[in-house]
Amino acid sequence: MARIAVIGAGMGAMAAAARLAVAGHRVAVYERAETYGGALGVFERDGFRFDTGPGLLPLPAVYRDLFLKTGKQPLEECVELVEIDPSARHLFADGSSADLPNASRAGVVEALGSALGDAAGERWDAYLNRARDAWDRTRRPLLEEPLWPNWRVLAERDPYPAPRGSGLLRRRPPTFAESARRELSDPRLIALVESPLLAHGLDPRSTPAAAAVLPYLEQAFGIWYVKGGLRELARALYERCLARRVEFHFGAEAVAVVEKEGRASGIELADGTVVDADQVVAGVDPARLGTLTDRPLQHAEDVRPDSSRTPPSRCSAFLALRGAPGEDAVHRTVVHAPDRRAELDRLAGRGGSAAVRPTVTVLRPDDPALRPDDDHESVVVTATVPGQSAEEVMTVEQLITAAEAVVPDLRERLLWHEVHTPADVEKATGAPHGAVPAPALPAADGRFLHPANSTRMPGLHLVGGWAHPGGGLPHAGMSGALVAGLIVEGPEFRGSQ
């Protein structure tokens, strides 16, 4: 039985802790904040409750597997999962709209054909076929297996199969924007397929075409809501860890990884306490990781994500409304930006006015746990914004104006609002400027990959969204599975079969 010290209580770190505890190890988690969950926070006031992080769960199979492998109670006995339908209502810049069924490929094609014309549905279907091929080629190496030692094989070739006759591959692999523009044509379809990338802060103009796996994942596996909010998922995982006798120490900031005889042998806390350990698992962002040890954890040939700019963050407005939602209300509405180029330029740090209104997501969960009574409504409005700690990255006026297209009589119904900025994200997660990591993607010389879970310091492993396989709830959960496998089975571990 090994002693394992886990730095951080985010979802990836807790996923690793639960799995390692089940394997018989003695696990202790040290979290600098006063609670667990990382980005999965909650804001409560006057009987209203709001998720401060992600509000929806893609690919729930990752957490079903986690709960299956760590206890007798399956995920569905610990939280109530609801498959939302439609998965989203899209309001396009030209005033048109489309409601997309959840996890129904044929249903989405039919809905797009009805809303945008038969040609739109046919183009979408053909595009998703190619996205499925890219997913089939990358699912194991970029989600289910530790990062390959010869990771450059993933970095050198884009697995997205561009259609014949496109001419793009003769010059160079196409970007996501190039392939979407050529294959989808309709600006509304392009806006639709780009929206999952924007939610992760990815610029389609510089992202490889293989990012088509992101919209594919949503349509193939569906989008789910956790009753009570996504914070309930964090609570359930925390309680599973406690049931497996994982120790938690809150308000305990790790300031150094202790090294002995060339390997990690514990951690030092801010109060000077030294915790001995046989293995250390660090669920922290790269900037904080760099302060924990003087030893270089990577060699020049290791994965080094693009650090030329700060990854984007999120800005949200929590709206407390009087009155129940109408019968036409849907759980999620995406209000697309009126000027897509200006939105992308600003997100990429190429200038642009703060007055540019980006794509906004409006969540209206019909959940009694989120409101004081049935005569009120809890609404969350979120946009991806440039990563910075300034309060003025997004004004509440912009968010409310965008939400007015979704919520009738919003201003008349508004009791109060609260704004959650990148500075609040930074406070919750510790990531500088509230940066939010994106999932790992192939091609592009490895700029969209994340560092391996094993490091050059024996006994030190990386977990969470800043390590392989990257950001997002499913990927964070998988990082916990990969780290646990590497510790339990050793370097020969090759992922689940």
Side-chain angles (χ1 to χ4, degrees):
M1 179 176 69
R3 300 165 300 172
I4 299 176
V6 179
I7 303 173
M11 296 299 285
M14 289 198 293
R19 290 177 180 271
L20 288 166
V22 166
H25 298 296
R26 197 168 116 200
V27 185
V29 176
Y30 298 86
E31 168 58 52
R32 65 178 185 84
E34 297 298 333
T35 189
Y36 55 84
L40 288 187
V42 64
F43 175 77
E44 297 180 272
R45 174 181 163 189
D46 300 339
F48 291 90
R49 180 182 173 95
F50 307 88
D51 280 320
T52 61
L56 295 170
L57 176 64
L59 206 57
V62 171
Y63 289 90
R64 288 193 177 108
D65 180 73
L66 170 60
F67 277 74
L68 178 67
K69 300 288 178 57
T70 59
K72 295 181 179 179
Q73 284 184 300
L75 177 63
E76 280 81 354
E77 289 186 15
C78 301
V79 297
E80 184 178 352
L81 284 177
V82 179
E83 185 177 0
I84 67 169
D85 197 26
S87 68
R89 172 173 292 164
H90 287 264
L91 302 182
F92 300 106
D94 68 351
S96 60
S97 66
D99 287 5
L100 304 187
N102 202 353
S104 172
R105 175 77 170 275
V108 169
V109 171
E110 182 179 353
L112 290 175
S114 176
L116 308 181
D118 291 341
E122 293 169 1
R123 290 193 190 102
W124 185 260
D125 194 36
Y127 184 85
L128 264 290
N129 279 337
R130 289 185 284 274
R132 180 194 59 208
D133 290 344
W135 165 249
D136 289 342
R137 296 170 184 175
T138 61
R139 175 178 59 86
R140 285 198 62 82
L142 285 184
L143 185 62
E144 298 175 354
E145 298 178 345
L147 188 66
W148 293 346
N150 61 334
W151 59 267
R152 289 195 179 277
V153 174
L154 300 171
E156 292 170 355
R157 183 175 181 181
D158 192 323
Y160 180 79
R164 292 182 179 180
S166 67
L168 292 172
L169 290 179
R170 288 197 293 270
R171 304 193 314 270
R172 55 173 173 74
T175 65
F176 183 92
E178 288 170 337
S179 64
R181 184 171 62 249
R182 183 177 184 89
E183 298 170 43
L184 297 175
S185 180
D186 190 319
R188 297 166 297 183
L189 290 182
I190 295 171
L192 194 159
V193 80
E194 286 181 347
S195 56
L197 276 72
L198 293 177
H200 288 294
L202 296 170
D203 185 345
R205 300 171 301 184
S206 58
T207 304
V213 298
L214 299 179
Y216 173 78
L217 279 176
E218 181 172 315
Q219 292 213 0
F221 301 104
I223 292 292
W224 300 74
Y225 172 67
V226 177
K227 277 294 185 76
L230 264 288
R231 175 66 177 178
E232 286 297 291
L233 180 63
R235 174 200 55 76
L237 181 50
Y238 171 68
E239 291 179 355
R240 177 55 54 89
C241 286
L242 293 179
R244 302 279 75 81
R245 299 188 178 181
V246 174
E247 297 178 8
F248 282 83
H249 303 269
F250 296 109
E253 181 179 4
V255 295
V257 173
V258 178
E259 184 177 353
K260 184 178 180 180
E261 297 179 354
R263 64 175 290 117
S265 62
I267 62 174
E268 181 182 350
L269 304 179
D271 64 2
T273 301
V274 174
V275 179
D276 293 331
D278 301 301
Q279 303 272 354
V280 175
V281 176
V284 299
D285 67 275
R288 187 174 169 210
L289 180 66
T291 68
L292 296 178
T293 175
D294 293 332
R295 183 207 273 210
L297 297 180
Q298 292 182 290
H299 289 175
E301 69 272 15
D302 289 342
V303 167
R304 293 184 180 276
D306 185 6
S307 59
S308 61
R309 65 182 182 90
T310 302
S313 184
R314 298 191 183 103
C315 188
S316 301
F318 309 136
L319 310 182
L321 305 182
R322 64 170 63 88
E327 293 183 359
D328 190 47
V330 299
H331 193 119
R332 176 174 62 156
T333 302
V334 180
V335 186
H336 292 273
D339 187 337
R340 178 52 59 91
R341 178 176 294 181
E343 174 185 30
L344 296 180
D345 283 346
R346 182 163 180 259
L347 192 59
R350 300 178 185 175
S353 168
V356 171
R357 203 269 288 163
T359 296
V360 166
T361 298
V362 181
L363 297 182
R364 305 178 69 188
D366 186 10
D367 185 349
L370 305 186
R371 59 193 183 228
D373 53 53
D374 287 343
D375 291 325
H376 293 84
E377 183 181 5
S378 166
V379 176
V380 178
V381 189
T382 302
T384 303
V385 296
Q388 53 188 319
S389 58
E391 296 288 329
E392 56 271 10
V393 291
M394 189 87 187
T395 68
V396 69
E397 182 64 26
Q398 288 174 298
L399 291 169
I400 291 178
T401 298
E404 280 187 290
V406 180
V407 184
D409 305 318
L410 187 153
R411 293 184 188 273
E412 290 75 15
R413 297 175 56 199
L414 185 62
L415 293 171
W416 51 262
H417 69 267
E418 191 80 20
V419 178
H420 193 80
T421 71
D424 297 302
V425 178
E426 179 176 3
K427 182 178 179 181
T429 66
H433 312 298
V436 177
L441 296 170
D445 297 323
R447 291 185 292 114
F448 296 90
L449 295 174
H450 292 266
N453 305 107
S454 299
T455 71
R456 298 290 176 173
M457 180 188 291
L460 175 62
H461 293 80
L462 307 183
V463 75
W466 295 104
H468 178 76
L473 278 174
H475 294 70
M478 282 306 303
S479 76
L482 297 178
V483 165
L486 288 165
I487 291 176
V488 172
E489 297 187 26
E492 68 276 6
F493 174 68
R494 291 296 177 265
S496 58
Q497 300 298 321

